Amino acid sequence: MEMNAGNGPALSLRGLSKTFTEQKTGNALEVLDGIDLDIEAGTLTCIVGPSGCGKTTLLRLIGGLEMPTRGEVLFEGAPVEGPGPERGMVFQEYALFPWRTVLKNVSFGLEIEGMPRDEARRKADGYLETVGLTGHYELYPRELSGGMKQRVAIARTLAVEPRILLMDEPFASLDAQTRNSMQEFLVDLWQRTGTTVVFVTHSVDEAVFLGQDIIGLSRRPAEVVSRFKNPLGYPRSRTDAGFIALRARILEYLTEEMSE
Amino acid sequence: MRKWKIISPLAALALWQVLASAGVLGRGTPSPVQVVKGLYTLIATGLPPGYHLQGHLIASLGRVFTGFAIAVVIAIPVGVLMGYANVFKAVMDPLVEIVRPVPPLAWLPLAVVWFGIGLGSAAFIIFLGAFFPVVLNTISGVKSVDPHLVEAARTLGARDRTILARVMVPGALPSIFTGLRIGMGIAWMTLIAAELVGVKNGYGLGYMIMAARDFARNDLLVAGIVVIGLVGFLVDWLIRLAERRLLRWR
């Protein structure tokens, strides 16, 4: 919260709409329709919604990888006009550079900033420690498990010191056990770094485990249909009565919205 | 499995020796033993006498590497740009597609007019032979780079130039190597053909085997063919060696 106290929310979406035009047919596909949303600095917010509803598009607009058809994305008060290292993205597909070692993946952003090699290496070292990956520096991505790949990707993003972390279903392709431990790891990381996190998932369970705020999107074209405050503290337990109750409430609410 | 690989060449060699010794192949065809002796003659005496094999090798390799190096230095950046920027591809594509189907050797007479007989004209047609496979494979390599990697690089602060140099080139490298190997194969073929028809005297492996024909020395002729094959194999092996070292991440 102290990161930009008194300056309003870290992230504001104002009437954000996105329509894609299919190149072959010329058909318009309306994906997002007038999303209004404020996200405070330092919070961990989860965005849930049915698959294909436009959650990923929403995150890509915040990341600057897509431009809105109408409306705007304001990051710390300024409109987003393209991608930038202050808004770090973590992809479901990891997107690690296969020709770079673990260490060189993490130091990529630092190298292109022009940081001297030794310093970049030291800093990358530190971030690999942060994500709990020491001693794997010289491995190539193909030699890593899914969970390790995603830790490297997170370290690579953290290394350029983003002020917001945008995560697009980062744990969706991991096995259940790894996914659970990565969720615990993320909560711990967020608490240690205090970075604002926006986390897109199709899993209500994951959203309740992670989020302070849980934003529910409707079917396409997506609108914000509900916003839940998660009263639970950390660490959370999936067997806790409060956890089960909140999860049931969100599921019920979403199911209702979807069936309309 | 390695040892199985030598069976078929050895068997062919043995069969060749037996048939040649039995006189089945006719007088004009030398036996493997005669070819090895011929190889020694090429090194010790030279063909034409005084023109040693080493000199022919150096001349041919010099021509190939000059033309090939120029082709690679131009083809990789052009290919990367054509793969990355659709506008550049639209501009360059017609030119590439018009020039590409012309066999490099068809340029030889014009090349001689432009550069005279010698390194210049040989390098020019080798350049033409090697350029297109490298360009086309570079383009397809760039196009095959995972778009997520480009997006990841952008969100880490990379701009176009960094993306070209640090994402597109390394990402396209496996495909670029395919282009280099094909390009080198064509360069070698083109060179020998050019030396067969274009070089009237002096040094060059193609010229050397033509001289063997003129001297009616079929042992030297076949020895020359063997040398040409071995050098081609060796050069390809060197490229594969570089490929293995640079693409360890695969």
Side-chain angles (χ1 to χ4, degrees):
Chain A
M1 296 287 177
E2 68 282 358
M3 291 186 72
N4 61 349
N7 292 335
L11 186 70
S12 289
L13 313 182
R14 298 265 172 272
L16 193 63
S17 305
K18 180 70 183 177
T19 303
F20 289 104
T21 310
E22 271 185 62
Q23 275 194 330
K24 272 190 203 149
T25 57
N27 290 344
L29 184 69
E30 210 181 346
V31 179
L32 301 176
D33 182 23
I35 304 255
D36 287 302
L37 189 63
D38 282 343
I39 287 170
E40 300 298 327
T43 56
L44 202 174
T45 305
C46 288
I47 297 175
V48 290
S51 16
C53 81
K55 307 181 292 282
T56 294
T57 303
L58 179 62
L59 208 66
R60 289 170 62 81
L61 283 159
I62 302 171
L65 294 172
E66 304 278 358
M67 296 315 283
T69 311
R70 288 186 311 280
E72 58 182 352
V73 177
L74 297 172
F75 179 64
E76 295 173 351
V80 164
E81 274 153 7
E86 71 285 355
R87 283 160 290 122
M89 287 199 77
V90 176
F91 302 86
Q92 184 186 335
E93 305 82 359
Y94 322 121
L96 295 176
F97 304 115
W99 53 86
R100 287 182 161 248
T101 60
V102 164
L103 188 73
K104 290 203 160 173
N105 261 284
V106 179
S107 65
F108 180 86
L110 304 171
E111 279 172 37
I112 63 177
E113 270 173 24
M115 186 180 282
R117 209 169 268 262
D118 283 355
E119 201 185 333
R121 201 203 142 100
R122 256 200 313 280
K123 216 171 154 195
D125 262 356
Y127 281 102
L128 280 167
E129 216 168 288
T130 305
V131 299
L133 271 183
T134 43
H136 297 97
Y137 299 163
E138 298 309 320
L139 295 183
Y140 286 98
R142 69 171 163 83
E143 301 171 289
L144 305 176
S145 68
M148 285 163 88
K149 280 183 195 161
Q150 201 53 288
R151 281 171 195 256
V152 175
I154 291 170
R156 181 179 67 177
T157 304
L158 290 177
V160 293
E161 297 178 349
R163 299 197 293 279
I164 191 167
L165 205 52
L166 307 168
M167 309 185 85
D168 184 16
E169 305 202 30
F171 308 145
S173 40
L174 304 177
D175 63 81
Q177 250 169 341
T178 311
R179 192 184 314 139
N180 286 353
S181 75
M182 289 299 285
Q183 290 165 357
E184 284 163 24
F185 156 73
L186 180 66
V187 168
D188 177 58
L189 183 77
W190 166 69
Q191 289 180 323
R192 276 184 287 149
T193 58
T195 313
T196 315
V197 178
V198 179
F199 190 105
V200 160
T201 176
H202 62 259
S203 157
V204 172
D205 184 85
E206 187 167 61
V208 174
F209 189 83
L210 295 174
Q212 294 176 301
D213 281 295
I214 297 153
I215 313 290
L217 298 185
S218 69
R219 269 186 312 199
R220 205 172 57 217
E223 303 166 68
V224 174
V225 290
S226 51
R227 183 166 192 159
F228 300 88
K229 284 273 169 205
N230 194 333
L232 303 169
Y234 298 96
R236 290 172 183 166
S237 158
R238 288 185 163 77
T239 50
D240 184 274
F243 188 101
I244 295 166
L246 181 60
R247 185 176 58 189
R249 231 180 86 213
I250 296 174
L251 275 172
E252 192 181 353
Y253 194 92
L254 285 178
T255 315
E256 224 169 84
E257 284 295 330
M258 296 324 142
S259 60
E260 268 172 15
Chain B
M1 288 315 264
R2 238 186 138 80
K3 59 186 174 199
W4 294 98
K5 286 186 175 176
I6 60 169
I7 287 184
S8 68
L10 279 183
L13 214 56
L15 186 68
W16 177 12
Q17 180 67 49
V18 167
L19 293 178
S21 305
V24 182
L25 298 179
R27 295 183 126 221
T29 311
S31 72
V33 173
Q34 286 170 315
V35 168
V36 172
K37 284 182 183 160
L39 198 60
Y40 177 75
T41 310
L42 288 179
I43 296 167
T45 316
L47 182 77
Y51 288 78
H52 297 280
L53 178 63
Q54 305 86 298
H56 294 298
L57 262 177
I58 289 168
S60 288
L61 288 175
R63 289 171 190 140
V64 162
F65 283 116
T66 306
F68 186 72
I70 297 170
V72 169
V73 165
I74 299 176
I76 292 178
V78 167
V80 168
L81 282 174
M82 283 178 75
Y84 187 61
N86 287 331
V87 180
F88 193 73
K89 179 146 198 295
V91 171
M92 295 296 290
D93 232 10
L95 186 63
V96 169
E97 291 310 318
I98 289 168
V99 180
R100 191 169 67 94
V102 180
L105 276 177
W107 292 88
L108 189 59
L110 189 62
V112 170
V113 171
W114 282 344
F115 302 100
I117 291 177
L119 180 65
S121 50
F124 176 71
I125 59 163
I126 286 158
F127 163 83
L128 284 169
F131 181 78
F132 295 103
V134 179
V135 161
L136 295 179
N137 280 282
T138 304
I139 294 172
S140 82
V142 166
K143 294 228 176 268
S144 74
V145 172
D146 181 357
H148 284 112
L149 299 182
V150 177
E151 294 189 337
R154 284 196 193 287
T155 62
L156 291 165
R159 308 235 168 236
D160 279 347
R161 265 178 60 185
T162 310
I163 287 172
L164 285 177
R166 300 205 186 207
V167 181
M168 290 310 183
V169 171
L173 208 54
S175 185
I176 291 175
F177 264 108
T178 305
L180 293 181
R181 288 183 64 192
I182 298 172
M184 182 50 98
I186 294 179
W188 194 236
M189 263 194 285
T190 309
L191 169 83
I192 300 301
E195 287 176 345
L196 285 177
V197 297
V199 184
K200 294 297 176 212
N201 53 28
Y203 284 111
L205 292 168
Y207 167 67
M208 184 184 81
I209 58 177
M210 284 308 274
R213 190 201 61 174
D214 294 341
F215 283 88
R217 286 291 302 269
N218 288 357
D219 55 337
L220 303 186
L221 177 63
V222 176
I225 292 173
V226 169
V227 170
I228 290 169
L230 281 178
V231 173
F233 176 81
L234 219 70
V235 171
D236 186 62
W237 178 78
L238 283 175
I239 299 178
R240 275 185 295 159
L241 196 72
E243 183 178 6
R244 264 207 299 279
R245 292 202 56 158
L246 283 170
L247 301 181
R248 246 176 322 172
W249 53 271
R250 293 192 101 193

